[in-house]
Structure formats: C-alpha cells, structure tokens
Amino acid sequence: MSVTYNNLWKMLIDKGMNKTQLRLKAGISTATLAKMSRGEPVNLSIITKICNTLGCHIGEVVDCIPDERMEILLQRI
C-alpha cells in the first residue's frame, strides 16, 4: 500500500491556499511538505496538525491505495 495526498492538494486549491501557506499555518517543516509532495508517509501528528488547520478529517487529507494503482498515478504526472 502507498499513501496519496491528492485530496489535500485539491482541498488547498478549493480553499485558495498554497502549500507554503499550509506549511506556515500548520507549523510543519519544508522537509515534511516535500515528503508529502512525493507521496511518502509522514507521522500521524503531522496529519493531525493539517486537519486542525483546515478543519477537516484525516480521510480528507490522506488516502491509502494499492501500489499498482499508485504506479499508474505517478505515470500521469
């Protein structure tokens, strides 16, 4: 299984917010944000900070998908 944060990126667009603004408001590091941009797992405390900042639930930020589906998504980028 792999993680994807596509729902988060879409939410940021809907809220008119960019990744830097999220990073500053949620108090997360640039390294953590870079990991998320690459689809790498991050600590649950980071996801909680993001959810608190955006007023949403974990499932609205991160999703777990089978590895073969992730390969297809990465090929589209």
Side-chain angles (χ1 to χ4, degrees), residues 28-75:
I28 59 177
S29 70
T30 54
T32 298
L33 193 60
K35 286 176 77 173
M36 293 175 73
S37 295
R38 293 188 301 266
E40 296 177 14
V42 296
N43 193 301
L44 188 57
S45 65
I46 301 299
I47 303 299
T48 303
K49 286 181 180 182
I50 291 170
C51 290
N52 287 337
T53 299
L54 298 176
C56 64
H57 300 284
I58 291 172
E60 295 175 277
V61 171
V62 63
D63 193 16
C64 293
I65 58 173
D67 287 331
E68 38 306 329
R69 189 169 151 221
M70 183 60 131
E71 289 177 27
I72 293 168
L73 288 173
L74 290 175
Q75 289 174 358

